[in-house]
Amino acid sequence: MPVVEPGTTGVCLWQKSCSALDLDPARCDAMPGYEGKVRFEPRREHQLSPSRLRAFIVLEREDGVAAPALRPLSRAEILVAAIRQLVLFNPAAPPLEERASGIGRLNDMIRVVPGYALRVPSSFPALAGIPPLLERLLIA
C-alpha cells in the first residue's frame, strides 16, 4: 500500500466553511487581505509522519445534490483527475521525462488505491456531512 507525506500543514477556508465543518476556532487564524477567509491548522501530532494512502478523493460541487455523497471512480477517472493536479518540481529534468515518470507513479498507486468523487452541494450548511462520510471511508 503506498504511503504519502503531507505537502502542506494547513488549509485556507471561508469562515462559513469553518463554522459548517465545526472546526476549532482556536486553530483558525484570519488571513490578512482576504476578508472572511481563515487558515486552519489541524492538530500537529503525526503531522509530518508518512501515512498509508487509503483513497483518492476528487471534489465535485453540484447544485442538484441535497447532501454530500461518495461515488466510486474508475481507474481512468482517478488518473485523469490526478494528472490535472500533477506539478513538476525539478527544473533540471527534461519536462516530458519528468511528466511521464510522475504519471507512471500515479498509475502504480491507482492500481491499488480506490478513488471516489465527493459530490458536495453548493451550500455551507451541507458541509457538516463531509467529515462523517470521509471518516467511514478512511477509518474502515
Side-chain angles (χ1 to χ4, degrees):
M1 186 65 63
V3 295
V4 293
E5 295 185 39
T8 186
T9 59
V11 63
C12 299
L13 302 164
W14 293 108
Q15 181 59 51
K16 287 183 179 180
S17 297
C18 285
S19 298
L21 292 168
D22 197 27
L23 299 178
D24 181 357
R27 296 186 183 277
C28 297
D29 296 316
M31 294 181 60
Y34 294 92
E35 186 68 29
K37 265 200 154 171
V38 298
R39 177 166 174 80
F40 171 69
E41 289 286 339
R43 293 185 317 259
R44 296 205 180 268
E45 56 269 12
H46 308 296
Q47 185 168 313
L48 299 177
S49 301
S51 296
R52 187 170 65 112
L53 180 61
R54 295 175 187 263
F56 287 92
I57 307 291
V58 177
L59 293 177
E60 287 183 352
R61 193 170 86 184
E62 289 191 34
D63 292 329
V65 175
L70 288 169
R71 174 179 64 85
L73 296 175
S74 69
R75 280 181 51 199
E77 290 173 303
I78 302 165
L79 187 59
V80 168
I83 287 173
R84 289 182 183 141
Q85 303 301 314
L86 191 60
V87 177
L88 306 177
F89 290 108
N90 185 352
L96 292 177
E97 184 179 307
E98 186 179 14
R99 187 161 183 81
S101 174
I103 292 170
R105 286 191 303 273
L106 278 171
N107 199 32
D108 289 343
M109 289 187 280
I110 291 166
R111 281 190 185 103
V112 295
V113 177
Y116 301 88
L118 174 58
R119 299 173 67 199
V120 181
S122 297
S123 159
F124 284 109
L127 297 179
I130 294 174
L133 193 63
L134 293 179
E135 286 172 359
R136 285 193 301 273
L137 173 70
L138 300 175
I139 294 174

